[in-house]
Amino acid sequence: MSAFPAFRRAATASTRRIPHFVRNEHRASLAAFATAASELSKQPTPREPPNFPCVEAHAARESKLQSINGKSGVKLTNESTSEDPSASGPEPPYARPNPSSYQTFSSKKPLPLVYYPESPLPQYDIAYETWGKLNSSKSNAILLHTGLSASSHAASTEANPAPGWWEKFIGPGKAIDTDQHFVICTNVLGGCYGSTGPSSKDPLDSNQAAYATRFPVLSIFDMVRAQFTLLDHLGIDKLYASVGCSMGGMQSLAAGWLHPERVRKVVSISGTARSSPSAIAMRFAQRSVLMADPNWKNGFYYDGLPPHTGMKLARQIATITYRSGPEWDQRFGRRFRDSPSQQPASGPRIPALCPDFLIETYLDHQGEQFCLKYDANSLIYVSKAMDLFDMTHSALTSLNLVSGDAQTPDLTATGSLHLTPPPPHLPDLAAGLVPLVNTPVLILGVQSDILFPADQQRECAAALKLAGNTQVVYYELGGVWGHDTFLLDVANVGGAIRGFLS
Amino acid sequence: MSAFPAFRRAATASTRRIPHFVRNEHRASLAAFATAASELSKQPTPREPPNFPCVEAHAARESKLQSINGKSGVKLTNESTSEDPSASGPEPPYARPNPSSYQTFSSKKPLPLVYYPESPLPQYDIAYETWGKLNSSKSNAILLHTGLSASSHAASTEANPAPGWWEKFIGPGKAIDTDQHFVICTNVLGGCYGSTGPSSKDPLDSNQAAYATRFPVLSIFDMVRAQFTLLDHLGIDKLYASVGCSMGGMQSLAAGWLHPERVRKVVSISGTARSSPSAIAMRFAQRSVLMADPNWKNGFYYDGLPPHTGMKLARQIATITYRSGPEWDQRFGRRFRDSPSQQPASGPRIPALCPDFLIETYLDHQGEQFCLKYDANSLIYVSKAMDLFDMTHSALTSLNLVSGDAQTPDLTATGSLHLTPPPPHLPDLAAGLVPLVNTPVLILGVQSDILFPADQQRECAAALKLAGNTQVVYYELGGVWGHDTFLLDVANVGGAIRGFLS
């Protein structure tokens, strides 16, 4: 305490004494009153409104996109039918990867769809990339499932040397060791990076227009079935492992569930077996701002400008759910965009209504970076598939994925996981997960994740155990990186995967 | 286990046997393939896109508002100057309370402003309501501070018998006992329910137009200073207590801090002494969607239509932060808007991209209810004031609210509160809170609050103790109601207040 004499004096002031800087504050207040009166007589004009660069950015982006397209987005709708859209029509301006940088499996056979048993997808493409070599017995393949908006580019390749989204996890000697394994990553069905999705041409449309919102609502199971037709095409009967993070963690479970005899091991990181209402709420908020963008036009924007402002706003919301408050405390705190040296030496800094705190400029930047990189309709369809994912037996029954005769178990097997209280749907989830009963499963959760909270992974692991699976490995990580931990924590996430796969 | 023989059979199946409903699923899948092929030959036309009632709702609201205003919002901007706006111009359509239902204190003296020391607010109104009777010594007054969007109508009155936002907490024999106390609640400066805010006429504008975004950015301290000029007007020198929840919890601390000699007790519920980056992020997302609404027009929308769609979207985001995942699990689970009896008896229910889960319809409804009840600019300014609130000594110094000579203490006094690790700004916060050293303070936090997490209240209580305050009472509540607990948990929140005030 002796190191802080000034503070201590104030803190131990008697109850009668008002600390000195409170008196100072009152003096400042009185001085401000006096200044106010004199200023008023000098300046009878109203204050000017501030500028709003964050709002102007939307209009600037719109103008830029119009100039790239060579014409107004509004006029485009009328003009597009008079031209050959494949020759001169505007391309969706989001950044598609170069088609030569990935491989494409094109299926001419229809794909059955969970929600439309009588109306399958007539044909479809699956974009994919591979790393490592398939061995002669074709027994070393790992199928990798991505998060919502990722492409098949999980790691650099000869065809595309840019770093992939899981660059540090895949390669010779890395957690997913390409010296040992043949790794396959696909762009998800419904996405926009080479696989068939809402931005693809509808083969039933005589004008070759995009599906837009004529695209069917997808299930995670549809996406995984499409992946297995690719495996058939590659002659891979049995996977060494199915590995996925976030939405990919759902798909990885679904892969092992759909084809227990074709998947040796399942890894599900920061995923869930049953999307929770709070995660649905966060994704609903994103879809809502996107669909309210006037450019969205019920999804039929492909011959005009995309809903880039809605996408930016949606990504801002999403970004909030990808990290954690503790990380922002450490990284940004309450610092402003201008450094202290740029701020007034004395007197208050006037705050702005546009991004002003560093946390705001960070969210703004994340939204701006993303808004032209991904197709809005893909965001809607893929996020909806995540919401719909539910491996409880009753949900699977309602989708005709299982027959309805399983019974719900009791809860005696869940004592080893901290679920207080166990959610009421746990027995139903356990009954749903029975097809995974003989598959070794690694479940990994992160305590700071607010989008897929660790309770979700705990409940999945508990349900698997309850179903009778004796080969469940459950890890729970600390740290401040939230949902994005699977992209960042190479040591712990990578280490858990390496141990489980070896 | 014997109660669930069918499940147990499946769960204990040998490792060679694939559970029977997995086989069934594969049969269903094959059948779907076959159906698909025959359907394709029958129906070569593309699918029809679905309807989007959630998007149509925005346009319908726009049309309704235009018809209420008797003309198009777009044309209005050109026509409004030719008419007397006070006589025939469109009123902002959000529901102002009837001016006869509250009292108004109008100050003709300027109000000094923290961020504009040389440019005070020239004049201002404060709307307020009261309950109970001021005693002859004027020693029984309680000043009540509201959350972001609340009016002065905390409880029913003769003039306005509608239930108030804290109806169950205020009244004879209730937690805030009007048999003993004279209770005053104000609409916050910057609001739109009778107090001066961005929708008020700018007295310096020769056309009597609203301030809009010419309104100055406010500090929580400005709001509290305006309240104290009302107390001066009422002849109340010393408050029995200052009580507030959420933003009001900030104001309550600020009241005791600004005027330690005029506030006997401070109650701060689900508030904070220093807004965190994650709370700023959530409010930033709301302001962003609001300001991106084409109707917002940099805040100058008062002679046209308000940004009702942006307000709806902002409120949806806000609502996510007001409750908690566990509450939604209990209340909505994964149920859909249609009851099971309305859903297909067999076969899948086709999901909608507009609100479909009950959690989605709930958020949609909350947004729709709110979007015309509150002024968009008030939301921006009041939420910004919350973001800016920071009682660390360094922040107060940068605003010239205190002199810069306090030192930071060590952490020896914080052992009794669970802060692991103590945030690095704790000593700075303790130094800032020194003026409250002699004031009894009740801090109440809620463990399920995701907007003002309990860590925020713990840190506030710890900082007060560290500053030398020996009269800090800290309660932390459980339950699933999240931030809204202060509106709902009469027994526990009310009980804590009653005990502290008695």
Side-chain angles (χ1 to χ4, degrees), chain A residues 284, chain B residues 332 335-338 354-367:
Chain A
F284 168 70
Chain B
F332 304 121
R335 294 197 301 284
F336 291 105
R337 71 191 138 91
D338 38 14
C354 273
D356 205 22
F357 285 104
L358 277 187
I359 177 64
E360 295 176 300
T361 59
Y362 166 75
L363 295 175
D364 183 84
H365 179 75
Q366 293 294 319

Side-chain angles (χ1 to χ4, degrees), chain B residues 72-159:
Chain B
S72 145
V74 177
K75 288 180 187 165
L76 255 183
T77 314
N78 299 328
E79 292 177 13
S80 58
T81 52
S82 62
E83 297 170 19
D84 174 4
S86 65
S88 62
E91 277 296 302
Y94 48 85
R96 284 180 185 276
N98 183 339
S100 67
S101 71
Y102 56 82
Q103 295 177 273
T104 305
F105 163 62
S106 294
S107 172
K108 300 297 173 195
K109 282 192 197 167
L111 184 77
L113 297 171
V114 165
Y115 292 109
Y116 311 85
E118 300 187 354
S119 182
L121 202 61
Q123 60 191 57
Y124 57 98
D125 290 348
I126 296 294
Y128 67 100
E129 294 175 57
T130 69
W131 300 263
K133 284 204 160 54
L134 189 61
N135 61 14
S136 57
S137 60
K138 300 191 171 183
S139 63
N140 68 334
I142 292 178
L143 178 61
L144 193 59
H145 312 268
T146 75
L148 195 161
S149 60
S151 72
S152 59
H153 196 58
S156 51
T157 59
E158 274 191 30

Side-chain angles (χ1 to χ4, degrees), chain A residues 400-413:
Chain A
N400 287 343
L401 285 168
V402 295
S403 62
D405 63 356
Q407 295 282 331
T408 54
D410 64 14
L411 292 173
T412 49

Side-chain angles (χ1 to χ4, degrees), chain B residues 408-449:
Chain B
T408 53
D410 64 13
L411 293 173
T412 49
T414 58
S416 62
L417 283 167
H418 303 287
L419 286 162
T420 47
H425 54 264
L426 192 63
D428 193 13
L429 187 59
L433 293 175
V434 164
L436 282 163
V437 68
N438 299 318
T439 309
V441 181
L442 169 64
I443 305 283
L444 195 147
V446 177
Q447 288 164 350
S448 56
D449 191 335

